Amino acid sequence: MRRVLASVVVLLALPASASANAALAPLDYAAPTASVSRGAPLTFAVRTAAPDGSVVVRVSGHDEVDADGLLTGPDGTWLDETAAQATTDLAVWSVPADSVLRQRPGHYYWQAYLTGDAATSAEEPVGPVQELTVTLPYADKGRGTLFPKYGRRGATQRFYLSSAGFPGTVTGARFQKVVRTAASRWGLRALRWTSVEAGVRDGFNVAGFSSSVEAGVLGVQTDYVKRGKVVESDLALNASENWNAGPDYPALDQIDLESVVLHELGHMAGNKKHRARCTNSPMIEALGAGEWWRGARDKWFDTCAASAATVGSKRFAHRIARVDSAPLR
Ligand SMILES: [Zn+2]
């Protein structure tokens, strides 16, 4: 707001020849800054001489733009809000406290553009795209042990990391970091790399990716049980998913790797029950794209009033494979 005196007020009514002046900028952004804290007040302010009701703020989860330079993307990944005229040359949109934009940490992209007669007479009716990062306060970051609050602690389980079948979106180094951290939060321990495949009964506890996981299932945790005793425990993540390896939060079309690993390793720690969708727990039954649970105050679930099926959430699965028919020794 301190840019008031320095900013250039543009006369949109100038004839086309005069508006060819390169110094003219029809939409001059005064706020917000590039980064705001979750929950903090958030106001988009655009300095312009355009009449009331003709300035729209568009915010998107993607930086993709169409031929006109307008942010675009699948339905539901961007929003438009008409800014209100605050002074003769300032249009603002004060974002309500319950808006996704003030509640959900992450990276967003925004711009202002003109509509109606103001757009027709403007040389550049679409303003430049700016990035906005909504940050989570450090104290709210997900870390620390998950037992006993969300389940019991893993007893003696140790498992290998499978190097087989990695998707292009996840590096080995990142996977190792995510899994090791999640394992320690459950009292488990991730061991060295192996080329052994995850989700195959081979005598090794293995966590990794697999192309054999059915579509719509994020990961399958399998316990191989012999005479009532778990003799092998595997975790196979769906290699075909659009994974967000972090540490950034997932985009609206990405599945959060850390959330899924925390969930699945909870099973490996011996917690077999699922909780209802949107419960404050890593053991929820389903997770949608763009959602995460990394800690009690580091979580985001979209449209919790709707059922998992109607919002396109993906399931978690675990299975108990009985191997009692194996030869007795
Ligand atoms: Zn599960």
Side-chain angles (χ1 to χ4, degrees), residues 3 13 27 69 123 175 190 207 209 260-261 275 285 296:
R3 295 179 60 203
L27 296 162
E123 189 191 4
F175 183 67
F209 291 90
V260 174
V261 168
R275 307 290 306 274
E285 62 192 350

Side-chain angles (χ1 to χ4, degrees), residues 219 221 263-264 267 272-274 283-285 316-318:
Q221 191 274 323
H263 173 105
E264 301 293 2
H267 288 318
K272 297 308 175 192
K273 283 190 178 159
H274 280 163
M283 305 313 293
I284 41 177
E285 62 192 350
F316 291 108
H318 61 85

Side-chain angles (χ1 to χ4, degrees), residues 132-148:
L132 170 68
T133 302
V134 179
T135 61
L136 187 74
Y138 185 74
D140 289 352
K141 291 276 185 192
R143 55 189 194 284
T145 58
L146 298 173
F147 55 83

Side-chain angles (χ1 to χ4, degrees), residues 83-142:
Q85 192 165 358
T87 65
T88 51
D89 70 341
L90 192 69
V92 303
W93 172 36
S94 295
V95 183
D98 62 353
S99 164
V100 165
L101 274 179
R102 285 179 59 180
Q103 296 297 321
R104 183 186 186 277
H107 291 294
Y108 300 93
Y109 301 88
W110 71 278
Q111 68 191 160
Y113 66 95
L114 300 174
T115 58
D117 290 346
T120 312
S121 56
E123 189 191 4
E124 292 176 33
V126 178
V129 172
Q130 302 284 304
E131 188 168 357
L132 170 68
T133 302
V134 179
T135 61
L136 187 74
Y138 185 74
D140 289 352
K141 291 276 185 192

Side-chain angles (χ1 to χ4, degrees), residues 37-202:
S37 192
R38 178 170 79 174
L42 175 60
T43 298
F44 292 88
V46 181
R47 208 152 284 295
T48 175
D52 191 18
S54 60
V55 180
V56 175
V57 173
R58 177 168 292 192
V59 186
S60 174
H62 286 273
D63 61 354
E64 185 188 343
V65 294
D66 65 15
D68 296 324
L70 269 175
L71 289 162
T72 187
D75 283 350
T77 62
W78 53 269
L79 62 84
D80 274 344
E81 192 70 35
T82 303
Q85 192 165 358
T87 65
T88 51
D89 70 341
L90 192 69
V92 303
W93 172 36
S94 295
V95 183
D98 62 353
S99 164
V100 165
L101 274 179
R102 285 179 59 180
Q103 296 297 321
R104 183 186 186 277
H107 291 294
Y108 300 93
Y109 301 88
W110 71 278
Q111 68 191 160
Y113 66 95
L114 300 174
T115 58
D117 290 346
T120 312
S121 56
E123 189 191 4
E124 292 176 33
V126 178
V129 172
Q130 302 284 304
E131 188 168 357
L132 170 68
T133 302
V134 179
T135 61
L136 187 74
Y138 185 74
D140 289 352
K141 291 276 185 192
R143 55 189 194 284
T145 58
L146 298 173
F147 55 83
K149 189 170 181 185
Y150 303 107
R152 65 183 165 104
R153 177 186 186 147
T156 56
Q157 289 93 331
R158 297 177 175 207
F159 59 91
Y160 296 93
L161 301 177
S162 173
S163 57
F166 259 72
T169 48
V170 184
T171 65
R174 182 63 196 165
F175 183 67
Q176 185 176 46
K177 183 174 174 63
V178 169
V179 173
R180 279 191 171 164
T181 304
S184 72
R185 294 179 72 185
W186 280 117
L188 304 173
R189 197 165 151 218
L191 303 172
R192 61 174 172 79
W193 290 99
T194 175
S195 57
V196 164
E197 285 180 42
V200 177
R201 194 199 165 205
D202 47 28

